[in-house]
Amino acid sequence: MAFSLFTSKNRIVNLVVNDHSIRFLELKQTNPPGAQKWGERLLPPGIISNGKIMDIDSLAIILDECIDDWKIKRRSVRFIVPDQLVIIRKVTVPAEILEDEMKGYLYLELGSSIHLPFEEPIFDIFPLSNNGKTKDLLLFAAPEQHVMEYANLFTSLKLNPIAADISPLALYRLFHELGQANQNEKLIIVQFDLTSVNLCIFEDSVPVVMRPFALPFNSEQWDIKRDNLGKVEIKFIGDTNDLVLQFEDIFKELLKLLDFYRYSLSKEKQDVSRFLLTGDHPMLQAIKDEMKERFEAPVDLLSLDAISNGKTGSLPANFLLSLGLALKEVK
């Protein structure tokens, strides 16, 4: 699953670009695979907003500097499509539609039996069931214009984009690689980042519904610096009531999604069995503690214990998404 736009190459660099940062990670070919090296550059507000590039000239200058600093010129890259651009939707099609005809059929149905909030999508599909008359599929879609804007930017800077992925799949891939996934599990991944939150419910290994949300971000309320090893440290220095209100809004949305899943999506009216909390928000432990107070299902942080170290020390928690992306298509 994910967006198969490109062809494959060796020596792949994995890029995660969001509203507030650019991160890269290179995989170490070990068993189990680990991180070889990584780097991070924070972005000024306004260059990317809700996953969309707003100032491509400034982004190109910053990314070009990163390419030099990280010594990744002319490398092949995978990248994450921003959560805010991605739609996951279940669709039903006639059973007689062959696999190699499926994407053409879906394109023809856009705007009639299949409705998306944007035109000219790029999409991938995942088969769910076939009763002989109809097939159920999961449709992963994003606006081609915005996805290709990232791909074209990389190409213009002499990088070679080979694959685009989505964050829930990358995170679940890492979760599974670490041996933390359970069979027949109803899992919700809560990705709590500095400027956004993404909620995604999995049945076994299949994402069935996803909801992204923006978090208000005021740079004046945060103290951002680097430690002696170059690691970015972010500390909230504003009014804590502002954070409390933000978190409260997200918990309300989380509760709505759980109710929607129980009463509309789950065939057996089941609840999720576990929360998996991850992300780059500096208050992740406090968020976990609050979730444990509010919800009955257990709340786990995506563990770093089984991840090997790379050349630049222990892998920071905010690079877990990058590592999950790096595991794509690793045999």
Side-chain angles (χ1 to χ4, degrees), residues 96-107:
E96 62 266 20
I97 304 298
L98 300 177
E99 183 177 352
D100 60 356
E101 300 172 346
M102 189 62 68
K103 287 193 175 182
Y105 173 83
L106 293 174
Y107 272 116

PDB file of all heavy atoms in Angstrom, residues 96-107:
ATOM      1  N   GLU A  96     -16.377  -8.513 -11.127  1.00  0.00           N
ATOM      2  CA  GLU A  96     -15.767  -8.900 -12.406  1.00  0.00           C
ATOM      3  C   GLU A  96     -14.668  -7.942 -12.859  1.00  0.00           C
ATOM      4  O   GLU A  96     -13.958  -8.221 -13.831  1.00  0.00           O
ATOM      5  CB  GLU A  96     -16.826  -8.988 -13.507  1.00  0.00           C
ATOM      6  CG  GLU A  96     -17.557  -7.692 -13.821  1.00  0.00           C
ATOM      7  CD  GLU A  96     -18.866  -7.573 -13.045  1.00  0.00           C
ATOM      8  OE1 GLU A  96     -19.007  -8.273 -12.017  1.00  0.00           O
ATOM      9  OE2 GLU A  96     -19.731  -6.793 -13.483  1.00  0.00           O
ATOM     10  N   ILE A  97     -14.485  -6.811 -12.154  1.00  0.00           N
ATOM     11  CA  ILE A  97     -13.411  -5.892 -12.521  1.00  0.00           C
ATOM     12  C   ILE A  97     -12.070  -6.548 -12.195  1.00  0.00           C
ATOM     13  O   ILE A  97     -11.806  -6.901 -11.043  1.00  0.00           O
ATOM     14  CB  ILE A  97     -13.534  -4.554 -11.778  1.00  0.00           C
ATOM     15  CG1 ILE A  97     -14.911  -3.921 -12.026  1.00  0.00           C
ATOM     16  CG2 ILE A  97     -12.425  -3.605 -12.218  1.00  0.00           C
ATOM     17  CD1 ILE A  97     -15.182  -3.588 -13.461  1.00  0.00           C
ATOM     18  N   LEU A  98     -11.226  -6.721 -13.205  1.00  0.00           N
ATOM     19  CA  LEU A  98      -9.937  -7.368 -13.011  1.00  0.00           C
ATOM     20  C   LEU A  98      -8.944  -6.414 -12.337  1.00  0.00           C
ATOM     21  O   LEU A  98      -9.092  -5.189 -12.385  1.00  0.00           O
ATOM     22  CB  LEU A  98      -9.375  -7.831 -14.353  1.00  0.00           C
ATOM     23  CG  LEU A  98     -10.240  -8.837 -15.137  1.00  0.00           C
ATOM     24  CD1 LEU A  98      -9.591  -9.160 -16.479  1.00  0.00           C
ATOM     25  CD2 LEU A  98     -10.464 -10.106 -14.316  1.00  0.00           C
ATOM     26  N   GLU A  99      -7.920  -7.021 -11.713  1.00  0.00           N
ATOM     27  CA  GLU A  99      -6.954  -6.222 -10.963  1.00  0.00           C
ATOM     28  C   GLU A  99      -6.277  -5.177 -11.842  1.00  0.00           C
ATOM     29  O   GLU A  99      -6.117  -4.012 -11.431  1.00  0.00           O
ATOM     30  CB  GLU A  99      -5.907  -7.143 -10.338  1.00  0.00           C
ATOM     31  CG  GLU A  99      -4.886  -6.412  -9.470  1.00  0.00           C
ATOM     32  CD  GLU A  99      -3.904  -7.353  -8.809  1.00  0.00           C
ATOM     33  OE1 GLU A  99      -4.098  -8.586  -8.901  1.00  0.00           O
ATOM     34  OE2 GLU A  99      -2.928  -6.859  -8.214  1.00  0.00           O
ATOM     35  N   ASP A 100      -5.886  -5.558 -13.064  1.00  0.00           N
ATOM     36  CA  ASP A 100      -5.183  -4.603 -13.922  1.00  0.00           C
ATOM     37  C   ASP A 100      -6.111  -3.566 -14.544  1.00  0.00           C
ATOM     38  O   ASP A 100      -5.662  -2.627 -15.201  1.00  0.00           O
ATOM     39  CB  ASP A 100      -4.398  -5.338 -15.011  1.00  0.00           C
ATOM     40  CG  ASP A 100      -5.288  -6.194 -15.914  1.00  0.00           C
ATOM     41  OD1 ASP A 100      -6.496  -6.280 -15.643  1.00  0.00           O
ATOM     42  OD2 ASP A 100      -4.765  -6.763 -16.895  1.00  0.00           O
ATOM     43  N   GLU A 101      -7.419  -3.735 -14.344  1.00  0.00           N
ATOM     44  CA  GLU A 101      -8.393  -2.766 -14.838  1.00  0.00           C
ATOM     45  C   GLU A 101      -8.933  -1.873 -13.721  1.00  0.00           C
ATOM     46  O   GLU A 101      -9.680  -0.926 -13.990  1.00  0.00           O
ATOM     47  CB  GLU A 101      -9.583  -3.498 -15.482  1.00  0.00           C
ATOM     48  CG  GLU A 101      -9.217  -4.378 -16.666  1.00  0.00           C
ATOM     49  CD  GLU A 101     -10.393  -5.213 -17.141  1.00  0.00           C
ATOM     50  OE1 GLU A 101     -11.402  -5.296 -16.396  1.00  0.00           O
ATOM     51  OE2 GLU A 101     -10.323  -5.764 -18.250  1.00  0.00           O
ATOM     52  N   MET A 102      -8.521  -2.181 -12.466  1.00  0.00           N
ATOM     53  CA  MET A 102      -9.189  -1.559 -11.327  1.00  0.00           C
ATOM     54  C   MET A 102      -8.981  -0.047 -11.277  1.00  0.00           C
ATOM     55  O   MET A 102      -9.941   0.716 -11.077  1.00  0.00           O
ATOM     56  CB  MET A 102      -8.693  -2.201 -10.024  1.00  0.00           C
ATOM     57  CG  MET A 102      -9.484  -1.769  -8.800  1.00  0.00           C
ATOM     58  SD  MET A 102     -11.223  -2.246  -8.916  1.00  0.00           S
ATOM     59  CE  MET A 102     -11.050  -4.044  -8.798  1.00  0.00           C
ATOM     60  N   LYS A 103      -7.754   0.407 -11.454  1.00  0.00           N
ATOM     61  CA  LYS A 103      -7.509   1.847 -11.333  1.00  0.00           C
ATOM     62  C   LYS A 103      -8.225   2.632 -12.430  1.00  0.00           C
ATOM     63  O   LYS A 103      -8.757   3.717 -12.189  1.00  0.00           O
ATOM     64  CB  LYS A 103      -6.011   2.134 -11.336  1.00  0.00           C
ATOM     65  CG  LYS A 103      -5.323   1.728 -10.043  1.00  0.00           C
ATOM     66  CD  LYS A 103      -3.916   2.294  -9.926  1.00  0.00           C
ATOM     67  CE  LYS A 103      -3.320   1.965  -8.570  1.00  0.00           C
ATOM     68  NZ  LYS A 103      -1.964   2.534  -8.384  1.00  0.00           N
ATOM     69  N   GLY A 104      -8.260   2.066 -13.637  1.00  0.00           N
ATOM     70  CA  GLY A 104      -8.994   2.720 -14.714  1.00  0.00           C
ATOM     71  C   GLY A 104     -10.468   2.817 -14.399  1.00  0.00           C
ATOM     72  O   GLY A 104     -11.103   3.852 -14.647  1.00  0.00           O
ATOM     73  N   TYR A 105     -11.042   1.750 -13.826  1.00  0.00           N
ATOM     74  CA  TYR A 105     -12.455   1.764 -13.444  1.00  0.00           C
ATOM     75  C   TYR A 105     -12.714   2.826 -12.374  1.00  0.00           C
ATOM     76  O   TYR A 105     -13.699   3.581 -12.458  1.00  0.00           O
ATOM     77  CB  TYR A 105     -12.853   0.382 -12.928  1.00  0.00           C
ATOM     78  CG  TYR A 105     -14.257   0.327 -12.352  1.00  0.00           C
ATOM     79  CD1 TYR A 105     -15.359   0.170 -13.184  1.00  0.00           C
ATOM     80  CD2 TYR A 105     -14.470   0.472 -10.982  1.00  0.00           C
ATOM     81  CE1 TYR A 105     -16.651   0.148 -12.663  1.00  0.00           C
ATOM     82  CE2 TYR A 105     -15.757   0.442 -10.456  1.00  0.00           C
ATOM     83  CZ  TYR A 105     -16.832   0.278 -11.300  1.00  0.00           C
ATOM     84  OH  TYR A 105     -18.109   0.260 -10.772  1.00  0.00           O
ATOM     85  N   LEU A 106     -11.828   2.898 -11.375  1.00  0.00           N
ATOM     86  CA  LEU A 106     -12.027   3.860 -10.289  1.00  0.00           C
ATOM     87  C   LEU A 106     -11.948   5.296 -10.804  1.00  0.00           C
ATOM     88  O   LEU A 106     -12.715   6.163 -10.378  1.00  0.00           O
ATOM     89  CB  LEU A 106     -10.992   3.628  -9.190  1.00  0.00           C
ATOM     90  CG  LEU A 106     -11.124   2.303  -8.424  1.00  0.00           C
ATOM     91  CD1 LEU A 106      -9.958   2.117  -7.465  1.00  0.00           C
ATOM     92  CD2 LEU A 106     -12.447   2.231  -7.660  1.00  0.00           C
ATOM     93  N   TYR A 107     -11.035   5.554 -11.733  1.00  0.00           N
ATOM     94  CA  TYR A 107     -10.955   6.899 -12.322  1.00  0.00           C
ATOM     95  C   TYR A 107     -12.264   7.271 -13.023  1.00  0.00           C
ATOM     96  O   TYR A 107     -12.738   8.411 -12.928  1.00  0.00           O
ATOM     97  CB  TYR A 107      -9.790   6.986 -13.299  1.00  0.00           C
ATOM     98  CG  TYR A 107      -8.475   7.382 -12.676  1.00  0.00           C
ATOM     99  CD1 TYR A 107      -7.390   6.511 -12.679  1.00  0.00           C
ATOM    100  CD2 TYR A 107      -8.309   8.636 -12.089  1.00  0.00           C
ATOM    101  CE1 TYR A 107      -6.171   6.871 -12.105  1.00  0.00           C
ATOM    102  CE2 TYR A 107      -7.110   9.013 -11.516  1.00  0.00           C
ATOM    103  CZ  TYR A 107      -6.041   8.124 -11.519  1.00  0.00           C
ATOM    104  OH  TYR A 107      -4.846   8.485 -10.948  1.00  0.00           O
TER     105      TYR A 107
END
